[in-house]
Amino acid sequence: MAKYYDVHPENPQPRTISQVAAAIRADALIAYPTDSCYALGCRLGSKDGIDRIRAIRDLDDRHHFTLVCQDFAQLGQFVRVDKDVFRAIKASTPGSYTFILPATKEVPRMLQHPKKKTVGVRIPDHVVTQALLAELGEPLLSSTLLLPGEDEPMTQGWEIKDRLDHVVDGVVDSGDCGTEPTTVIDFSEGEAEVVRHGAGDTSRFE
């Protein structure tokens, strides 16, 4: 049964955030809110977490996982960013964008695209997510909480608790969050390619 964490949307309780971070470090898989929509998250090196996300979402090995980072300095440890791409990403973060970039050796191979050796990264504009990332001290390995056969991601904590009670370990609920997945921009070839139109404005990348 999943543990339910009720978190204040503007002033996240430090004790609760600390409990969530401790659970993640202990290999828990959580559902948590972001500025785009809910996501599934686990610690960076959790093979069990990755396998469970793949099972819940019915994903193949070509799916790009996302490293949800606290800030640009942290993001830069895990992906290679040239000067032009740096400027474009910097101008768009924090925000509802996921960027696909070449992974550095800091990224476990099981997280990289098997052929392209790329990974998704993002910096969310969400108070609760940022508090959790600060407490955790490393990125959250994440994937949008979109179930197989459904067109819309889940956006309500109580609904997620009800439907995924036996397949996740915790649900973080801080009230309303975004309802659209992130906009995905692929910079792996140097030029911006819009892979998915979502919550973030794509005009600067087209």
Side-chain angles (χ1 to χ4, degrees):
M1 184 176 288
K3 187 170 177 59
Y4 187 77
Y5 301 96
D6 188 7
V7 181
H8 193 281
E10 295 171 8
N11 298 293
Q13 307 92 314
R15 185 173 174 217
T16 306
I17 292 297
S18 180
Q19 289 172 346
V20 179
I24 292 167
R25 291 190 195 103
D27 238 13
L29 175 64
I30 65 160
Y32 70 100
T34 76
D35 51 338
S36 57
C37 56
Y38 262 86
L40 294 166
C42 63
R43 69 177 178 83
L44 189 56
S46 177
K47 184 179 186 308
D48 178 65
I50 293 170
D51 290 343
R52 290 167 70 189
I53 292 172
R54 287 195 199 280
I56 290 168
R57 291 204 54 204
D58 192 23
L59 301 171
D60 61 27
D61 65 355
R62 295 187 303 272
H63 176 75
H64 270 107
F65 283 97
T66 299
L67 302 182
V68 178
C69 300
Q70 182 183 0
D71 52 30
F72 212 92
Q74 191 177 73
L75 179 149
Q77 298 173 39
F78 297 94
V79 289
R80 297 197 303 275
V81 187
D82 69 26
K83 192 162 56 177
D84 291 338
V85 173
F86 173 92
R87 280 197 294 265
I89 295 178
K90 187 79 169 169
S92 308
T93 54
S96 300
Y97 297 91
T98 298
F99 300 99
I100 296 172
L101 290 157
T104 68
K105 64 181 187 302
E106 301 296 321
V107 179
R109 186 165 294 185
M110 60 184 172
L111 301 186
Q112 300 178 27
H113 187 283
K115 291 183 179 175
K116 297 179 179 180
K117 308 304 180 194
T118 49
V119 71
V121 287
R122 69 170 299 223
I123 302 171
D125 187 13
H126 192 278
V127 172
V128 174
T129 313
Q130 281 289 344
L132 181 55
L133 291 168
E135 178 68 25
L136 199 58
E138 64 177 41
L140 260 173
L141 167 63
S142 294
S143 183
T144 303
L145 183 38
L146 183 62
L147 298 181
E150 298 192 4
D151 296 325
E152 300 286 332
M154 285 190 281
T155 59
Q156 299 293 329
W158 60 266
E159 178 192 13
I160 293 164
K161 172 82 164 76
D162 190 48
R163 292 186 62 185
L164 301 183
D165 205 22
H166 298 291
V167 292
V168 300
D169 302 306
V171 177
V172 178
D173 191 348
S174 60
D176 291 341
C177 70
T179 57
E180 267 190 292
T182 57
T183 290
V184 179
I185 312 291
D186 189 341
F187 272 116
S188 59
E189 303 295 328
E191 296 292 322
E193 178 189 351
V194 180
V195 176
R196 179 177 72 194
H197 290 266
D201 178 21
T202 60
S203 59
R204 74 179 66 193
F205 301 107
E206 293 176 314

